[in-house]
């Protein structure tokens, strides 16, 4: 609804899409991008994936779920550079990643943020389904989940320690940026 209200003028929006590993961030970003382009052909869209910003020293680190492994400074520079580019079209940049809400300087670059909330069992099932490495190293999943809790706990997400509860979707207009928490335990196909 908010996008429709502002679609009359020249607009450049940065929309964050955050959530645990396997919550559907990339899928949702690509789906929204496709839907926007289908409806509003004059819009320009782009997706930046936080996973594309792994640091070069990442091979040495054991925790691939830590903010230290992502070059968030470079990601922020790329967001600012995108904002500064002149365009005669309405534009939306989607920034998706597991730490978009967990890194304050990165979150500050967003005009709006979606947080895709999944419970622990859904996260585990999806991660094991898509990732051969974690199937060979199943104990690493605890690092994935505990990092998700640790680095997102200061945001108003009502994350439960055991992770099995998924609160209903909720809109937080008082946060900066405004945030919409979405129950992502169902697949996109189930929602459509």
């Amino acid at each position: 609804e908010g996008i429709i209200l502002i679609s009359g003028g020249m607009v450049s929006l940065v929309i964050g899409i955050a959530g645990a590993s396997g919550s559907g961030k990339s899928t949702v970003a690509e789906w929204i991008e496709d839907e926007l382009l289908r409806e509003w052909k004059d819009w320009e869209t782009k997706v930046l994936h936080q996973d594309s910003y792994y640091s070069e020293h990442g091979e040495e680190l054991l925790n691939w779920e830590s903010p230290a492994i992502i070059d968030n400074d470079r990601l922020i520079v790329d967001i600012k550079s995108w904002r500064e580019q002149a365009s005669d079209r309405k534009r939306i940049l989607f920034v998706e990643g597991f730490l978009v809400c967990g890194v304050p300087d990165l979150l500050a670059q967003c005009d709006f943020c979606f947080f895709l909330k999944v419970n622990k069992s859904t996260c585990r099932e999806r991660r094991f389904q898509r990732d051969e490495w974690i199937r060979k190293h199943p104990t690493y999943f605890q690092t994935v989940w505990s990092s998700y809790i640790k680095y997102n706990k200061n945001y108003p997400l009502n994350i439960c320690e055991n992770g099995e509860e998924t609160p209903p979707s909720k809109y937080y207009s008082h946060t900066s940026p405004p945030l919409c928490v979405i129950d992502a335990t169902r697949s996109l196909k189930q929602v459509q």
Side-chain angles (χ1 to χ4, degrees):
E1 203 173 309
I3 292 174
I4 292 169
L5 293 175
I6 60 172
S7 64
M10 288 297 106
V11 176
S12 289
L13 290 173
V14 176
I15 298 178
I17 302 176
S21 176
S23 62
K25 299 174 299 294
S26 297
T27 302
V28 167
E30 292 164 11
W31 179 78
I32 293 172
E33 182 181 36
D34 289 346
E35 290 298 309
L36 279 175
L37 292 176
R38 186 181 352 266
E39 293 295 321
W40 299 325
K41 294 173 180 29
D42 60 332
W43 282 68
E44 177 186 318
T45 62
K46 182 176 182 175
V47 178
L48 293 181
H49 302 275
Q50 195 174 38
D51 285 352
S52 298
Y53 291 83
Y54 275 102
S55 305
E56 293 192 22
H57 67 278
E59 293 292 331
E60 302 163 14
L61 296 176
L62 297 177
N63 183 358
W64 290 87
E65 313 304 316
S66 163
I69 199 145
I70 302 290
D71 189 349
N72 286 300
D73 291 338
R74 188 168 56 98
L75 177 54
I76 290 168
V77 166
D78 287 352
I79 294 168
K80 288 179 177 179
S81 174
W82 178 86
R83 279 196 191 271
E84 293 168 0
Q85 293 172 1
S87 178
D88 58 353
R89 300 174 70 188
K90 298 173 192 99
R91 305 179 318 143
I92 296 182
L93 174 66
F94 297 98
V95 180
E96 70 84 12
F98 68 105
L99 292 171
V100 170
C101 286
V103 179
D105 291 342
L106 177 58
L107 184 61
Q109 299 302 311
C110 298
D111 299 304
F112 187 84
C113 194
F114 291 101
F115 193 96
L116 306 181
K117 185 82 169 64
V118 294
N119 58 34
K120 186 176 182 178
S121 58
T122 301
C123 178
R124 186 179 197 286
E125 178 184 325
R126 291 178 183 172
R127 184 72 187 252
F128 275 72
Q129 190 174 45
R130 75 162 196 229
D131 190 338
E132 182 179 339
W133 185 88
I134 206 162
R135 288 192 300 267
K136 291 179 181 177
H137 305 89
T139 57
Y140 186 74
F141 178 75
Q142 187 53 43
T143 301
V144 171
W145 188 255
S146 62
S147 295
Y148 163 67
I149 298 290
K150 177 180 179 180
Y151 297 116
N152 289 290
K153 70 181 174 189
N154 294 325
Y155 216 68
L157 302 175
N158 301 323
I159 296 174
C160 304
E161 276 305 312
N162 69 10
E164 287 309 320
E165 296 176 36
T166 303
S169 298
K170 185 171 181 179
Y171 177 69
Y172 295 89
S173 60
H174 64 281
T175 61
S176 181
L179 171 75
C180 183
V181 178
I182 298 171
D183 176 358
T185 53
R186 296 183 302 156
S187 71
L188 193 55
K189 290 177 184 176
Q190 291 173 314
V191 174
Q192 291 178 330

